[in-house]
Amino acid sequence: MVAAVLKTEIADKASVTVVKAFVSMRRFMLANAQVFQRLDRLGIRQLETGQKIDQVFARLDSRKEDNKQCVFFDGQIYDAYEFVCNLIRSADKHIILIDNYVDDTVLAMLDKRNAGVEASIYTQKAGDQFKIDIAKHDAQYSAIPVFIFKKSHDRFLIIDEKVYHIGASLKDLGKKWFAVSLMEAQDAGAIAARLDAESERL
C-alpha cells in the first residue's frame, strides 16, 4: 500500500515484486489444490480419531461410575477397591461372592454392606488361616457363611438380582488390568440355586 502511494523507482519495483509474489502464490495453490484438500481431509480425520480416543480414555478413567462396568489398570488399587465397595453398599438384601482366592481383606470389604444385608462366600478352598479369620470375624460381626465350591473358574459378585463378572479376585484388585461388568441377561436366582445344590458349608 505504501509502494502504491510513493512515486519513486524503488516503490515501483516493490509494487511489482509484491504483485509477482501474489501471482506465484496463487499459481502454487492452484497447482497443489488437491494436495491441500487431502491434507485438510486428513487433518479432519485425525481430529475425529483423536476425539474418539479421548472419549475412550475419558470413559476408562472416569471417576463417575454407573455401577455397571469399568476397566481398571495396574496401580488403581484404591479406585478398584472403592468401586467394589460401592457395589457392596448398594445391596438391599443379599450379596454372594464367588471367588477362589479369598482372605481377610475380603471379609473387611463385605462388612461395608448395610445392616440386614446377608453375605456369603463361595470359594474353591479355605486354608487354616482363613478358617481362623472367619471364626474370629463371625464371633464379633454379622456372620458370613463360607461354602466350598469347586466348579467356577471366574469370579462373580451377585448383588441382589444383579450379577457382576469380576476379572480379578477381590483381594488382588488393582494389581493388574481387569474389568468389572454387569451381566444383564443372567438370572441371579438360578445361579444361587445351583450354588446351593453344588456346594458344601465350610
Side-chain angles (χ1 to χ4, degrees), residues 102-121:
V102 290
D103 61 13
D104 58 334
T105 61
V106 175
L107 301 176
M109 292 175 75
L110 290 174
D111 280 340
K112 295 184 181 296
R113 68 193 189 279
N114 296 321
V117 175
E118 297 179 354
S120 54
I121 297 172

Side-chain angles (χ1 to χ4, degrees), residues 11-177:
D12 290 341
K13 288 181 180 178
S15 292
V16 171
T17 303
V18 169
V19 170
K20 285 182 179 179
F22 276 106
V23 170
S24 296
M25 189 184 302
R26 185 171 182 273
R27 286 178 183 160
F28 175 79
M29 292 179 72
L30 288 173
N32 297 286
Q34 289 183 343
V35 174
F36 288 121
Q37 288 175 353
R38 288 180 184 172
L39 287 173
D40 189 47
R41 285 196 298 268
L42 183 62
I44 291 170
R45 286 182 187 165
Q46 189 173 5
L47 283 173
E48 290 172 350
T49 303
Q51 288 172 350
K52 289 177 182 176
I53 291 171
D54 288 344
Q55 288 173 1
V56 169
F57 279 107
R59 177 70 181 137
L60 293 177
D61 204 30
S62 173
R63 297 298 181 266
K64 186 180 179 183
E65 306 302 346
D66 57 7
N67 282 354
K68 286 188 176 180
Q69 59 190 10
C70 194
V71 174
F72 295 96
F73 304 104
D74 55 308
Q76 284 189 285
I77 295 170
Y78 182 77
D79 293 340
Y81 170 81
E82 181 185 36
F83 184 91
V84 173
C85 286
N86 285 337
L87 289 180
I88 290 168
R89 289 187 189 100
S90 72
D92 294 321
K93 298 175 183 176
H94 60 265
I95 299 168
I96 298 172
L97 172 64
I98 304 170
D99 189 337
N100 287 336
Y101 305 99
V102 290
D103 61 13
D104 58 334
T105 61
V106 175
L107 301 176
M109 292 175 75
L110 290 174
D111 280 340
K112 295 184 181 296
R113 68 193 189 279
N114 296 321
V117 175
E118 297 179 354
S120 54
I121 297 172
Y122 291 79
T123 188
Q124 183 174 325
K125 59 183 178 180
D128 293 338
Q129 182 59 56
F130 188 61
K131 291 177 182 177
I132 293 170
D133 294 338
I134 283 286
K136 292 185 179 294
H137 172 275
D138 292 354
Q140 183 175 351
Y141 299 104
S142 181
I144 298 177
V146 178
F147 299 86
I148 301 301
F149 179 69
K150 299 183 178 181
K151 294 189 176 183
S152 179
H153 174 273
D154 291 359
R155 290 149 293 276
F156 300 93
L157 183 63
I158 301 174
I159 306 290
D160 297 331
E161 303 307 316
K162 295 179 180 178
V163 180
Y164 292 88
H165 180 263
I166 302 180
S169 291
L170 262 59
K171 71 180 186 67
D172 296 322
L173 297 179
K175 293 181 180 177
K176 292 183 179 180
W177 288 34

